[in-house]
C-alpha cells in the first residue's frame, strides 16, 4: 500500500506597495512596504496581519525581517519609516 505525498504548500506572494500621504504636498512622501501574503488566493478582509517595524537604523529588507515574515503563520506588512 503506497500513500500519496502531501500536497505542496500554497504559493505565497510578496508585493511592494507605495502608500501616498494625502496630507503632504510632496508626491514622493509615501510609505513604501512589502506585503507578504501566505495565501494570496484568499480574501484577507477581517483577518489578522502582523506589522513588522524596526528602529531608526533598520531597514524593511534586512534578512531577519524577511525571515520573520516567512515564519509567521499570518500575512505581514513591513515598511520603512523614512
Amino acid at each position: 500500500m503506497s500513500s500519496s505525498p502531501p500536497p505542496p504548500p500554497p504559493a505565497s506572494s510578496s508585493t511592494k506597495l507605495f502608500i501616498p500621504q494625502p496630507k503632504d504636498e510632496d508626491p514622493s512622501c509615501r510609505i513604501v512596504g512589502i506585503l507578504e501574503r501566505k495565501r494570496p488566493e484568499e480574501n484577507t478582509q477581517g483577518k489578522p496581519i502582523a506589522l513588522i517595524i524596526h528602529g531608526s537604523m533598520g531597514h524593511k529588507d534586512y534578512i531577519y525581517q524577511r525571515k520573520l515574515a516567512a515564519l509567521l503563520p499570518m500575512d505581514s506588512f513591513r515598511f520603512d519609516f523614512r
Side-chain angles (χ1 to χ4, degrees):
M1 177 186 233
S2 66
S3 62
S4 300
S12 61
S13 74
S14 296
T15 306
K16 191 172 198 175
L17 299 177
F18 300 87
I19 304 170
Q21 300 303 298
K23 301 277 185 192
D24 198 306
E25 293 178 14
D26 180 0
S28 68
C29 183
R30 58 194 178 191
I31 293 174
V32 179
I34 308 295
L35 176 64
E36 298 280 354
R37 295 192 54 203
K38 298 295 182 180
R39 299 181 186 272
E41 72 283 354
E42 291 182 6
N43 186 342
T44 58
Q45 187 171 0
K47 293 187 179 175
I49 187 169
L51 292 178
I52 301 174
I53 57 177
H54 55 78
S56 62
M57 298 302 290
H59 191 275
K60 69 182 178 303
D61 289 327
Y62 276 165
I63 188 70
Y64 62 87
Q65 303 274 7
R66 293 190 312 250
K67 282 186 175 185
L68 175 60
L71 291 172
L72 288 170
M74 64 183 70
D75 295 345
S76 63
F77 182 69
R78 62 185 195 272
F79 63 96
D80 292 328
F81 286 102
R82 28 181 198 266

